Amino acid sequence: MPAGIRFFHIKLRTYNYFSKFHFLAVLGVVATGVKLDPANPLASAFQFALSDIGPKIFGLVLLAAALTSVIGAAYTSASFLRSFHPFFEKYNNIVIIVFIVFSTLVFVLIGKPVKLLILAGAFNGLILPVTLTAILIASQKKSIVGDYKHPKWMLVFGILAVIVTIFAGYMSLQGLGQLWNS
């Protein structure tokens, strides 16, 4: 298995374990009746559970997640670009470094990490309907799927899912202007 794919498998498994751990940790804290700080609920849960060292541990977990996400996103983006032009294949490592430097500059110059995360999440929500639409179209093309017959009921539910996700994506973009100006 290539190193890049192995890295993503490890990252995905780690993320899965940490997300379950965070959920159970916060559930355990909230179940005791503690009111979490709305400004930073996870950090306040860590502080309650682990005292003064809790926010520091939470910061380390958040730092590790951020570093692996930036590296993973840069690697994924560069992998997509490699299929477009031989230039990106030849200079793949440099493209990855440029993505990481660009991400760092955006963060340093714009700041507002929470707002940037919300913005990225909102735009990521627009990817699902585009991708699902492409898959549904491909599922109907004999040149792509051969003799496979995609069930009509799945096509109908897929189209409904596309409509719902387009609406959800549109709704998520509505408040971005207000969020950014606040």
Side-chain angles (χ1 to χ4, degrees), residues 22 40 42 56-68 117:
H22 286 141
N40 200 343
L42 267 178
K56 292 172 180 60
I57 291 174
F58 173 69
L60 287 174
V61 169
L62 206 56
L63 176 67
L67 289 175
T68 58
L117 283 172

Side-chain angles (χ1 to χ4, degrees), residues 118-169:
I118 292 171
L119 180 69
F123 283 118
N124 279 336
L126 299 176
I127 294 171
L128 179 61
V130 172
T131 307
L132 184 54
T133 300
I135 290 171
L136 291 174
I137 291 170
S139 75
Q140 302 303 305
K141 293 197 177 258
K142 191 169 182 84
S143 62
I144 295 174
V145 295
D147 293 331
Y148 172 75
K149 298 287 185 209
H150 194 65
K152 295 297 178 199
W153 68 269
M154 289 180 91
L155 180 65
V156 169
F157 279 106
I159 292 169
L160 288 173
V162 167
I163 292 168
V164 168
T165 55
I166 287 172
F167 178 73

